[in-house]
């Protein structure tokens, strides 16, 4: 089969990193929108040689079970024929796994447009997955067009990226240890700084240092001479030594101390610049020059004969020990030392960094000096079996190896190591011991502690070259989080089509009354302890993450909009309470491939999927699509309803579940057969005495959520009673007030369900003439705008339309025309007015307002609307009749007006 190359195949239209739980899975995935282009009608079995090339390049994909469910399942799918988006999914997963990031979840689903797919691919590190999917694309195309492809080279580059981008072994071990205790983790930068836990319960680590690692202790540990003197004060055996100021001073110190000696930087680390077992003046002076390359201040110390041991102390307890052997090679009688080093470095367990079990051996100045001591050079050919030391210090970072000896450490040695950590003041310390036998007291063998290290590397204990691995990451996590602690704060996630901002605000208000410092995100901003710290629509995961990283926040209430879920997933792994207010007739249908109410409900359900086992999903029993989510909650379910006799309420109570509902005008909390009347709706200002049905639902949802969190009933009651429905407490959510005898309602609603609810509530208000200011964003479907226009035209006498800044790809006037089409169908409205801006339309309707009018004004930009009406109310209180004037160049008169043509 010949495939034309002029049409670009397998292109990426969009790549999204869903960094938290999402519509695909409860872990991170990369979502790639793939256009197969000219390959859309081509499957694997149609391309000559494609399957053979792919299977030979990536034979390890035989382990992919795919939908067949058995080993070799994916290869069987290839033979039968499958599409390239599905193949790309498996190839990308395999490339990540070969690079060292083991992953296994993937999905590929075709979109409405033929040949265009959404491909979801699990990842451990986003940068690695992004690179792997691009390599996968090129690999697939090479297999299609039968061009060469160097798989080994590409995997090697991906491995290098894994080493650079992923957490190092020490940090990763602590993070995994924390996660095993239920502690969440947030990577704070591209390095090793990680937050463990959320809000006020968080802790932080940087590699093997914690937020309790004293800066003073770290500074002491860096100063080898100061450390040595402090240990002497504790009676810890240490080598004699002192700082030196010159090469001559180094030789003088060596003679005073007694040969052999060690020369090293006073504040060095990782064994850099350390030269040991020096006997001659030339060796000492050369070693001084080498040490000066690393640090300006140099020390000379007594050489302690024996093996090099690293003892790891965590929280005043010895948890691991390893014998470290210096970098060395063994002669074969044929190869030079340089060739032997190159051969050793081919061990896949070695790398240039700290991400593998061992590091590469390098021939540098220290190595050359060590070889000179043995009367060798890199070009020497050692005899068969001859051991050649490349370095005398045994640090893993310079190519050494490690053997676990934890079970052989003498108790007195362990106690001295703990004393050394205490003397310096470190919560985590790597104690370097030189001794002939770690199973004997140091005093009996002239052993000594030569260094105390802050932020010690853990890989020698996690993956020793020989011996038993030790769970040192778990030990650090256990030190940071005692039994029963998981670093979590209460998290309430709120979603739905309408009411979510009000519910978010009301829950936050109740929790604040309970005495907690509450962090809140919603469409009006980010709030901490009642203070707004960021403005704008903050209902996405980026804003939620800011709250979860705030060390003051003791509880988080997070409005969770569909856009953020689809764009980046959730900011949290689990929530204590998930509230879904409603789905109704939906909103934003047709965007982001969400076309049906069922698809929208699946997106909203994401927060229910991650309810903690001890938590609760608070669901609207009166909305069938919300009620269906109950089956997906890992925790309990609390239904709320305006009816005490709703079948789901009755069924749940029989099973002993909780429920919140209305009976005889009061909010009832029920747990199984027992129930408790919380308070009358007459005492809930938000509901206007129970007359505003959608606010009744919002009050029920908020009461259920806070009750499920364990907030005492009297606090919940107090919160419902004290939450204001005005511009201060619930801005833009059915704020009602009088303007010169007319009744004004300001509401943010901008979809069919919201408008229906507002109109239902306004039927209870007095009004001889009904006026409305309204619009919606241009990314809604025509039919949704027409339907809203029909609702407006069926209830109001005059409608004031505006388009504002939310045209979103439409031509000017399109939105107004859709609304007018619907208003014609409504049957009541006699006239429409069209304006360019919200403010111009509001000013006009207020100029026309008469006593007895009922006026709906949509809150377009909530902050702008609140500021406008605050000024309006202030002017009215001061007997200034005119509404606030418009800006220059923004006329108050309508730009266009039209009488409706009734037939």
């Amino acid at each position: 089969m010949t495939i034309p190359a002029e049409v670009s195949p397998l292109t990426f239209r969009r790549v999204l990193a869903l960094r938290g739980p999402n519509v695909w899975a409860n872990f991170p995935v990369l979502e790639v929108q793939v256009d197969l282009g000219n390959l859309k009608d081509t499957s694997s079995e149609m391309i000559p040689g494609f399957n053979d090339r792919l299977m030979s390049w990536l034979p390890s994909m035989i382990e992919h079970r795919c939908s067949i469910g058995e080993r070799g399942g994916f290869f069987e799918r290839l033979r039968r024929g499958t599409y390239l988006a599905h193949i790309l999914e498996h190839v990308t997963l395999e490339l990540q796994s070969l690079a060292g990031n083991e992953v296994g979840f993937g999905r590929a689903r075709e979109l409405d447009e033929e040949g265009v797919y959404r491909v979801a691919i699990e990842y451990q590190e986003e940068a690695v997955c992004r690179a792997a999917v691009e390599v996968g694309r090129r690999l697939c195309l090479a297999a299609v067009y039968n061009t060469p492809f160097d798989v080994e080279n590409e995997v090697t580059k991906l491995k290098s990226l894994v080493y650079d981008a992923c957490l190092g072994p020490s940090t990763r071990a602590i993070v995994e240890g924390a996660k095993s205790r239920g502690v969440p983790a947030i990577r704070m930068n591209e390095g090793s700084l990680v937050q463990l836990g959320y809000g006020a319960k968080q802790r932080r680590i940087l590699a093997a240092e914690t937020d309790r690692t004293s800066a003073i202790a770290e500074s002491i540990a860096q100063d080898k001479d100061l450390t040595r003197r402090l240990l002497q004060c504790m009676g810890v055996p240490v080598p004699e030594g002192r700082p030196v100021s010159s090469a001559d001073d180094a030789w003088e110190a060596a003679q005073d101390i007694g040969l052999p000696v060690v020369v090293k930087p006073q504040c060095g680390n990782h064994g850099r610049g350390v030269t040991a077992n020096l006997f001659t003046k030339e060796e000492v002076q050369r070693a001084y020059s080498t040490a000066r390359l690393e640090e300006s201040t140099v020390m000379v110390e007594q050489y302690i004969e024996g093996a090099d041991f690293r003892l790891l102390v965590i929280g005043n307890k010895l948890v691991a020990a390893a014998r470290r052997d210096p970098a060395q090679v063994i002669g074969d009688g044929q190869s030079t030392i340089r060739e032997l080093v190159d051969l050793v470095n081919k061990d896949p367990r070695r790398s240039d960094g700290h991400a593998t079990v061992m590091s590469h051996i390098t021939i540098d100045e220290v190595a050359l000096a060590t070889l000179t001591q043995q009367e060798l050079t890199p070009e020497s050919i050692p005899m068969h079996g001859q051991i050649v030391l490349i370095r005398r210090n045994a640090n893993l970072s310079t190519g050494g190896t490690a053997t676990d000896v934890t079970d052989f450490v003498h108790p007195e040695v362990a106690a001295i190591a703990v004393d050394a950590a205490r003397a310096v003041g470190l919560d985590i310390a790597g104690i370097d011991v030189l001794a002939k036998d770690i199973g004997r007291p140091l005093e009996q063998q002239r052993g000594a502690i030569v260094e105390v290290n802050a932020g010690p590397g853990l890989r020698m204990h996690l993956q020793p070259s020989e011996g038993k691995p030790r769970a040192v990451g778990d030990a650090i996590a256990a030190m940071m989080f005692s039994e029963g602690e998981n670093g979590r704060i209460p998290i309430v996630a709120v979603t739905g089509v309408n009411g979510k901002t009000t519910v978010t605000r009301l829950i936050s208000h109740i929790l604040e009354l309970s005495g907690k410092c509450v962090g809140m995100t919603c469409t009006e901003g980010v709030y901490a302890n009642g203070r707004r710290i960021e403005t704008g629509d903050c209902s996405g995961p980026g804003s939620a993450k800011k709250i979860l990283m705030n060390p003051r926040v003791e509880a988080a209430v997070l409005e969770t909009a569909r856009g953020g879920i689809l764009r980046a997933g959730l900011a949290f792994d689990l929530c204590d309470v998930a509230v879904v207010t409603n789905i109704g007739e939906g909103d934003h249908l047709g965007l982001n491939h969400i076309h049906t109410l069922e698809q929208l409900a699946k997106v909203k359900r994401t927060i229910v999927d991650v309810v903690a086992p001890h938590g609760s999903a608070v669901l609207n029993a009166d909305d069938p699509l919300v009620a269906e989510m109950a089956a997906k909650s890992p925790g309990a379910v609390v239904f709320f309803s305006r009816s005490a006799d709703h079948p789901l309420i009755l069924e749940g109570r029989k099973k002993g579940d909780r429920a919140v509902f209305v009976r005889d005008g009061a909010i009832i909390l029920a747990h199984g057969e027992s129930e408790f009347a919380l308070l009358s709706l007459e005492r809930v200002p938000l509901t206007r005495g129970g007359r505003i049905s959608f606010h009744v639902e919002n009050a029920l949802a908020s009461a259920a959520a806070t009750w499920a969190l364990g907030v005492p009933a009297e606090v919940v009651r107090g919160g419902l009673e004290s939450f204001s429905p005005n511009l201060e407490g619930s801005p833009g959510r059915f704020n009602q007030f009088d303007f010169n005898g007319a009744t004004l309602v300001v509401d943010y609603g901008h979809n069919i369900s919201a408008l229906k609810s507002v109109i239902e509530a306004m039927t209870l208000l007095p009004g001889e003439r009904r006026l409305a200011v309204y619009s919606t964003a241009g990314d809604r479907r025509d039919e949704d705008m027409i339907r809203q226009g029909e609702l407006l035209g069926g209830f109001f006498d005059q409608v004031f339309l505006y388009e504002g800044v939310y045209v979103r790809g439409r031509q000017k006037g399109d939105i107004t025309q859709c609304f007018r089409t619907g208003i014609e169908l409504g049957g009541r409205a006699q006239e429409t007015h069209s304006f360019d801006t919200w403010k111009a339309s509001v000013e006009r309707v207020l100029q026309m307002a008469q006593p007895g009018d009922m006026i709906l004004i949509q809150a377009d930009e909530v902050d702008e609307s609140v500021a406008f009406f605050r000024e309006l109310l202030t002017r009215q209180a001061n007997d200034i009749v005119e509404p606030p004037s418009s800006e220059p160049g923004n006329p108050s008169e309508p730009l266009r007006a039209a009488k409706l043509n009734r037939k």
Side-chain angles (χ1 to χ4, degrees), residues 264-274 287-298 364-366 391 398:
K264 62 184 180 182
Q266 184 172 343
C267 295
N269 54 33
H270 298 301
R272 289 190 286 265
V274 178
Y288 175 85
S289 299
T290 300
R292 276 294 303 270
L293 295 175
E294 299 293 335
E295 166 66 34
S296 59
T297 307
V298 177
D364 55 12
E365 289 298 322
V366 173
R391 301 181 97 86
T398 56

Side-chain angles (χ1 to χ4, degrees), residues 189-429:
N189 63 7
E190 293 181 358
S192 297
L193 182 61
V194 178
Q195 175 181 313
L196 301 176
Y198 292 143
K201 296 291 186 70
Q202 69 178 269
R203 299 288 306 277
R204 294 172 184 168
I205 60 169
L206 179 63
E209 292 184 323
T210 78
D211 47 17
R212 307 284 169 81
T213 300
S214 164
I216 293 176
E218 183 179 357
S219 179
I220 291 171
Q222 287 179 340
D223 188 330
K224 309 306 180 186
D225 185 55
L226 176 58
T227 299
R228 185 181 60 81
R229 288 186 280 117
L230 284 176
L231 297 187
Q232 279 182 324
C233 294
M234 293 280 290
V236 174
V238 293
E240 185 182 348
R242 69 170 175 86
V244 295
S245 58
S246 66
D248 289 337
D249 191 26
W251 174 238
E252 184 177 332
Q255 291 176 301
D256 292 341
I257 293 168
L259 300 170
V261 294
V262 176
V263 176
K264 62 184 180 182
Q266 184 172 343
C267 295
N269 54 33
H270 298 301
R272 289 190 286 265
V274 178
T275 311
N277 201 22
L278 306 175
F279 284 89
T280 68
K281 180 177 181 180
E282 291 74 15
E283 289 176 339
V284 170
Q285 293 185 333
R286 189 185 308 116
Y288 175 85
S289 299
T290 300
R292 276 294 303 270
L293 295 175
E294 299 293 335
E295 166 66 34
S296 59
T297 307
V298 177
M299 281 190 64
V300 175
E301 275 188 354
Q302 173 189 7
Y303 174 72
I304 304 296
E305 187 177 355
D308 186 325
F309 296 94
R310 165 61 65 83
L311 277 58
L312 182 65
V313 174
I314 299 173
N316 293 326
K317 181 180 179 181
L318 178 71
V319 298
R323 188 190 73 238
R324 300 183 297 179
D325 296 309
Q328 57 188 263
V329 294
I330 301 176
D332 60 7
Q334 299 179 359
S335 306
T336 67
I337 292 172
R338 191 182 301 277
E339 291 169 338
L340 291 170
V341 168
D342 290 341
L343 183 63
V344 168
N345 283 339
K346 290 182 179 180
D347 187 333
R349 296 177 299 167
R350 292 186 184 271
S351 73
D352 286 329
H354 296 266
T356 49
V357 177
M358 296 178 287
S359 297
H360 283 155
I361 299 174
T362 57
I363 298 179
D364 55 12
E365 289 298 322
V366 173
L368 292 173
T370 304
L371 291 175
T372 299
Q373 288 179 321
Q374 301 167 84
E375 299 182 350
L376 297 169
T377 72
E379 311 312 320
S380 301
I381 300 176
M383 295 184 296
H384 181 78
Q386 180 182 351
I387 297 175
V388 177
L389 296 180
I390 307 301
R391 301 181 97 86
R392 292 194 180 275
N393 69 294
N395 294 68
L396 265 66
S397 57
T398 56
T401 59
T403 300
D404 179 72
V405 295
T406 306
D407 295 332
F408 307 107
V409 178
H410 192 278
E412 289 187 20
V413 177
I416 287 176
V418 171
D419 282 346
R422 281 188 177 132
V424 175
L426 290 169
D427 56 343
I428 303 171

Side-chain angles (χ1 to χ4, degrees), residues 130 387 396 668 676 764 844:
R130 286 182 180 272
I387 297 175
L396 265 66
I668 309 296
F676 171 73
L764 304 175
R844 182 58 178 148

